[in-house]
Amino acid sequence: MKKWNSTALVLTVALALGGVLSLSSCAKGQTASKKQSYEFTTLSKGSIESTVASTGTLSVVSSVSVLAQMSGRIEKVNVDYNDRVKNGQILATINTDLLKLQAKAAQADVDKAQANYDLQALAVQNAKALFDKGLLSDYDYKTAVSTLNVDKAELSSAKASFEEIETEITQYAYITSPIDGIVLERDIDPGASVTGGAVSSSTSLFTIAGNLTQMQIKAEVDELDISSIKAGQDVRFTVEANPGVTFSGTVKEVRLVPETSDNLVYYYVIILADNKSGKLLPGMTANVSFIKEKKSDILTVPSAALRFTPSSLTDAEKQKALFLANLPPDMAAADKEKASADYDAMQKAQAAAKKSGKETTQTGGLSSLMTGGRMMGGAGGPPGGFGGGPGGPTGARRTVSSSSAQGAQQQGQMASGDMTAGDSTTVRKPLWYLDDSGKLAAVMVGVGVSDSLKTEVIGADALEGKKIILKVKAE
């Protein structure tokens, strides 16, 4: 028993020492965290573009496929890839030896039909004379006239067959360009056989682009972004073949028929782009940026500064800092100190009420500090004392809740998310800085357009050039 008692005593002492060391270590860790060093940035004037990213494929604006109008064997090809051609220029010819023989046979049929017609015309003339003298019956006369009409139709048919063959020899055998342009594809070689006639079975011989000084991009835009795209919108894009070169274009149309792939819905957007330089070729992949909004000479801050949250502060400390940041910028220093003290009293009262299981509805003092019923810290500028000025206009206003505690709580929670000020649609977020005593403090600013790297800051002109915390400095 003595042995076990001794062992238990040793363990108890060891655990106690361990707890003390652990508490000491935590205290040191907390102290160290309080002494974090930061990287700073400044608000500065600049330009920002808000864009929608997409990809697409370059193609010619218009092109035509040259088909074979008759069947036969290609005898000669006069053009090659990338050749420029004129409207009516002969691109290739089809062998006509067999057609010439058919033309001779057709000419013989025409001559034969002509001879039969001429003979029958003479027979009708004689039958008419006999019929007039009453020497030929009406039936025999009409039979002669009918035979003449048949011979006339056969003559017309023979002439049409001959003209068809002549057309094939003089026109269809010569494949010509229907437009001015450039040859993109050549699908035949001399000696190849082609099929003509119906479009479904005709052989495509050439593809000719009407104009390569202008190209188009068929881009895919996600359904979430399509509402931001409209005809006439400016576009920038790059192609891998020309790294570092940015091309420009304009949205021609948004096609309303949706496309679905892997449960993702997207729409095709057609973009027109200038190609006088000739650097853009059909089939290239374009990385497209649709310019939603562009602003110049505005106050900007790195977006990372708006995402910064001090890890060295407790939640309660953060809430108080945000509460103070939402106080009116033109509030007197004494009133700010009183508001801070009232806030602390409110927090203590809430904690005591929570501990006793009761609710507190009034703490008093805070409502009177919201001058004229304004919401603390309008969308305008920072609280007084940062940068030595009022910071800007008060901005949007609203009537404060009749419950001071609830109103103060709302003020403390603002900017922890994307809350708006009163009837304004401007989102307000906090920027953190070190005050004159080296303590962390926050200032509320309105945010506007963003390009992910920089964000527009609204109503914070007094902060231009001031140091704002960007992130915790890596040690």
Side-chain angles (χ1 to χ4, degrees):
M1 290 295 294
K2 290 183 178 181
K3 181 178 181 181
W4 281 108
N5 289 337
S6 177
T7 303
L9 180 61
V10 172
L11 288 174
T12 301
V13 173
L15 288 173
L17 288 175
V20 171
L21 291 174
S22 177
L23 290 173
S24 176
S25 176
C26 290
K28 290 180 179 179
Q30 291 177 354
T31 302
S33 65
K34 296 286 184 178
K35 296 181 179 180
Q36 288 179 336
S37 57
Y38 304 98
E39 290 186 20
F40 295 91
T41 187
T42 57
L43 278 68
S44 59
K45 294 284 186 177
S47 300
I48 292 181
E49 287 183 345
S50 177
T51 61
V52 172
S54 178
T55 59
T57 303
L58 282 159
S59 62
V60 295
V61 175
S62 63
S63 64
V64 295
S65 294
V66 181
L67 306 178
Q69 299 297 312
M70 59 174 279
S71 301
R73 177 174 54 85
I74 297 296
E75 186 173 70
K76 187 178 181 181
V77 179
N78 299 324
V79 296
D80 204 347
Y81 291 95
N82 302 332
D83 285 351
R84 295 190 176 275
V85 296
K86 296 290 185 180
N87 185 9
Q89 180 179 337
I90 297 175
L91 308 178
T93 57
I94 297 176
N95 185 274
T96 58
D97 292 343
L98 182 59
L99 287 175
K100 290 177 180 178
L101 293 176
Q102 293 175 357
K104 290 181 179 180
Q107 183 62 59
D109 291 339
V110 171
D111 294 342
K112 180 181 177 180
Q114 184 68 54
N116 290 336
Y117 175 78
D118 292 343
L119 181 60
Q120 188 60 30
L122 182 59
V124 169
Q125 185 178 357
N126 292 334
K128 178 70 168 59
L130 294 173
F131 178 74
D132 291 341
K133 294 178 180 180
L135 300 176
L136 189 67
S137 66
D138 183 63
Y139 175 79
D140 290 337
Y141 175 68
K142 289 185 177 180
T143 299
V145 173
S146 177
T147 302
L148 178 64
N149 290 334
V150 171
D151 290 342
K152 182 180 179 181
E154 290 179 349
L155 176 60
S156 297
S157 178
K159 286 182 177 179
S161 297
F162 176 76
E163 288 175 359
E164 180 181 354
I165 296 173
E166 280 292 305
T167 301
E168 289 183 338
I169 293 174
T170 58
Q171 296 184 32
Y172 294 165
Y174 297 96
I175 301 165
T176 59
S177 173
I179 60 172
D180 294 345
I182 184 171
V183 178
L184 296 183
E185 293 184 36
R186 189 202 75 183
D187 298 324
I188 56 168
D189 290 300
S193 296
V194 296
T195 302
V199 175
S200 60
S201 61
S202 297
T203 303
S204 177
L205 310 181
F206 302 93
T207 300
I208 300 176
N211 184 10
L212 289 184
T213 59
Q214 190 177 49
M215 301 289 284
Q216 74 175 18
I217 304 172
K218 190 177 183 181
E220 299 176 357
V221 178
D222 188 271
E223 62 176 324
L224 299 177
D225 298 319
I226 196 63
S227 61
S228 302
I229 311 302
K230 59 184 181 296
Q233 189 169 349
D234 291 334
V235 174
R236 287 197 315 269
F237 66 95
T238 59
V239 293
E240 293 183 359
N242 295 277
V245 179
T246 300
F247 301 91
S248 60
T250 305
V251 174
K252 176 185 178 183
E253 63 181 2
V254 177
R255 298 197 173 163
L256 303 181
V257 179
E259 303 289 336
T260 305
S261 176
D262 296 330
N263 295 325
L264 298 177
V265 179
Y266 60 90
Y267 295 82
Y268 284 124
V269 177
I270 306 302
I271 303 163
L272 295 181
D274 179 78
N275 188 34
K276 293 179 181 178
S277 64
K279 294 181 179 180
L280 302 176
L281 302 178
M284 286 183 172
T285 299
N287 297 311
V288 180
S289 294
F290 297 93
I291 301 174
K292 292 171 53 179
E293 188 177 5
K294 182 177 181 180
K295 290 187 177 181
S296 301
D297 194 31
I298 58 174
L299 198 60
T300 66
V301 69
S303 300
L306 291 166
R307 296 192 295 267
F308 172 78
T309 300
S311 59
S312 59
L313 298 181
T314 64
D315 290 341
E317 290 172 333
K318 293 177 188 176
Q319 291 292 338
K320 182 176 180 180
L322 294 177
F323 166 78
L324 295 175
N326 276 285
L327 292 174
D330 53 355
M331 179 180 284
D335 290 336
K336 286 185 180 181
E337 291 180 4
K338 187 176 186 305
S340 178
D342 288 343
Y343 181 88
D344 292 338
M346 178 199 70
Q347 294 298 326
K348 291 180 180 179
Q350 286 183 338
K354 184 177 180 181
K355 186 176 181 181
S356 63
K358 299 179 180 179
E359 294 184 358
T360 179
T361 58
Q362 291 186 354
T363 56
L366 293 184
S367 295
S368 62
L369 297 177
M370 302 175 186
T371 307
R374 293 181 299 176
M375 180 173 66
M376 300 180 186
F386 183 70
T394 303
R397 304 177 182 182
R398 71 178 180 186
T399 302
V400 179
S401 168
S402 60
S403 170
S404 301
Q406 292 177 354
Q409 195 72 8
Q410 290 174 355
Q411 302 307 315
Q413 291 172 349
M414 282 193 66
S416 58
D418 291 344
M419 296 188 66
T420 58
D423 296 330
S424 173
T425 57
T426 301
V427 177
R428 302 174 68 247
K429 291 187 177 181
L431 290 174
W432 293 86
Y433 65 98
L434 297 180
D435 61 16
D436 295 338
S437 62
K439 294 181 179 180
L440 284 165
V443 56
M444 300 300 297
V445 295
V447 297
V449 63
S450 175
D451 61 1
S452 74
L453 296 179
K454 295 184 299 181
T455 299
E456 176 190 10
V457 179
I458 301 172
D461 293 341
L463 300 180
E464 184 176 356
K466 303 301 180 182
K467 283 188 175 182
I468 300 294
I469 296 176
L470 181 64
K471 60 181 180 179
V472 176
K473 184 182 294 185
E475 296 296 341

